[in-house]
Amino acid sequence: MTQDATRVSVPVSGSPLTSRLRRIGWAPTLGLLAGAVYCLIPVVWVLTAATKSSAQLFTSFTLFPGTGLLSNLHDLSAYRNGEFWTWMLNSAFYAGVGALLSAGVSGVTGYALAKYRFSGRNAIFNTLLAGVLMPPVVLAIPQYLLMAKAGLADTYWSVLIPSILSPYGIYLARIYAAGAIPDELLEASRIDGASEWRTFRSVALPMMMPGLVTVFLFQFVAIWNNFLLPFIMLGDDSKFPVTVGLFTLLKQGAAAPALYTLVITGSLISVLPLIALFLSLQRYWRLDLLSGAVKS
């Protein structure tokens, strides 16, 4: 083969082909910008609407800020002697405890499915995959019937227990454990005389920590934003999470439009913990899969 035959043609700068490639290259960027604008407009609307009084909310331009933020915060805090903050604490309890327990269960289960060989392992994993594809709305009524049969309906446990088991979290933990934990390290730990529990706690768990933080974050957001399950399970206002509590305010707003500003302000406040959680946990996400073991 001659040298001319192996020569690769490169588009010349300023040629029609180069100009066409540049125009095509802008298309993904423009698509991402359009998607960002589409997602950010509701956020901007909530930010501006939360600053408006009831009169300004229905009379001023949609994206113009108002002057009633402080009064809205005061009215929201005073509503039913601060019931909104009770809803926020309930959401923090459901999401925090539920996500923490879910991350622990997902870590142990994912590690076992990834690193142990036993009969029925593939069947269990396939069942979990089916659970990932199952819409939560399909399970809400059966879960309520089970909780009512056990006498746990309208209790904190009725919302907390179904949140502990996350098929998607187990799936993520299994995939992460399979890629992050070398079998040689586990065998070396066993040869040194470590028990299976100590091998998991001292060797596997630190290496899985970035993946478990991700599971915790996903589950926290899912529980915090969950509406249908607590709406079905709970009847006592004092046990409501913030999603159900704001929904009750929204329904009352049809008769008392002044409550709309409280709903919008409460929606803005309810997003702040999720933003703070993302910012505080992002430093735990490591590209190096062995970073946890090095730290330990």
Side-chain angles (χ1 to χ4, degrees):
M1 183 178 294
T2 63
Q3 183 177 0
D4 293 338
T6 59
R7 188 174 300 166
V8 179
S9 61
V10 179
V12 180
S13 177
S15 65
L17 178 59
T18 303
S19 301
R20 191 180 306 115
L21 291 175
R22 288 177 178 175
R23 287 195 298 269
I24 295 175
W26 276 103
T29 303
L30 293 176
L32 291 174
L33 288 176
V37 171
Y38 176 80
C39 295
L40 291 177
I41 283 180
V43 178
V44 175
W45 182 86
V46 171
L47 287 173
T48 56
T51 65
K52 298 180 180 181
S53 63
S54 298
Q56 293 172 339
L57 183 63
F58 297 102
T59 58
S60 62
F61 180 70
T62 302
L63 298 181
F64 280 178
T67 58
L69 178 61
L70 294 180
S71 61
N72 291 341
L73 291 174
H74 178 270
D75 294 341
L76 182 63
S77 298
Y79 178 76
R80 292 186 180 178
N81 296 320
E83 191 171 35
F84 171 78
W85 301 110
T86 301
W87 298 337
M88 288 288 289
L89 290 176
N90 290 339
S91 290
F93 172 74
Y94 294 137
V97 176
L100 187 62
L101 294 177
S102 179
V105 172
S106 298
V108 173
T109 308
Y111 171 77
L113 290 173
K115 295 302 177 180
Y116 289 99
R117 303 292 184 268
F118 54 90
S119 58
R121 185 183 69 157
N122 291 332
I124 294 175
F125 186 65
N126 291 333
T127 303
L128 289 172
L129 288 180
V132 173
L133 302 176
M134 185 72 67
V137 65
V138 177
L139 303 176
I141 299 301
Q143 287 172 344
Y144 172 77
L145 296 177
L146 289 174
M147 291 297 170
K149 191 71 173 178
L152 296 177
D154 198 20
T155 65
Y156 290 103
W157 293 107
S158 62
V159 178
L160 187 60
I161 292 177
S163 304
I164 295 175
L165 184 62
S166 171
Y168 185 62
I170 296 175
Y171 169 77
L172 287 180
R174 192 260 185 189
I175 297 300
Y176 195 89
I181 306 174
D183 293 334
E184 293 78 6
L185 282 180
L186 302 180
E187 291 298 328
S189 178
R190 292 169 182 141
I191 291 174
D192 289 341
S195 63
E196 292 297 325
W197 170 246
R198 185 172 182 182
T199 299
F200 171 74
R201 179 173 55 85
S202 301
V203 178
L205 187 59
M207 301 174 71
M208 292 180 63
M209 193 55 65
L212 295 183
V213 169
T214 303
V215 172
F216 173 84
L217 183 59
F218 284 173
Q219 192 67 0
F220 187 97
V221 174
I223 299 173
W224 185 277
N225 293 330
N226 193 6
F227 168 79
L228 183 62
L229 181 65
F231 180 73
I232 292 176
M233 293 289 184
L234 302 175
D236 186 359
D237 291 2
S238 63
K239 299 184 179 71
F240 283 171
V242 68
T243 51
V244 180
L246 290 177
F247 175 74
T248 61
L249 272 180
L250 184 62
K251 288 198 303 181
Q252 298 173 26
L259 294 178
Y260 284 137
T261 57
L262 302 188
V263 175
I264 296 171
T265 306
S267 300
L268 175 62
I269 296 175
S270 67
V271 176
L272 298 181
L274 299 181
I275 297 175
L277 187 68
F278 268 97
L279 295 178
S280 61
L281 292 184
Q282 65 178 355
R283 64 190 181 93
Y284 291 100
W285 298 341
R286 308 295 185 188
L287 295 176
D288 183 7
L289 297 178
L290 298 178
S291 61
V294 172
K295 289 184 177 181
S296 64

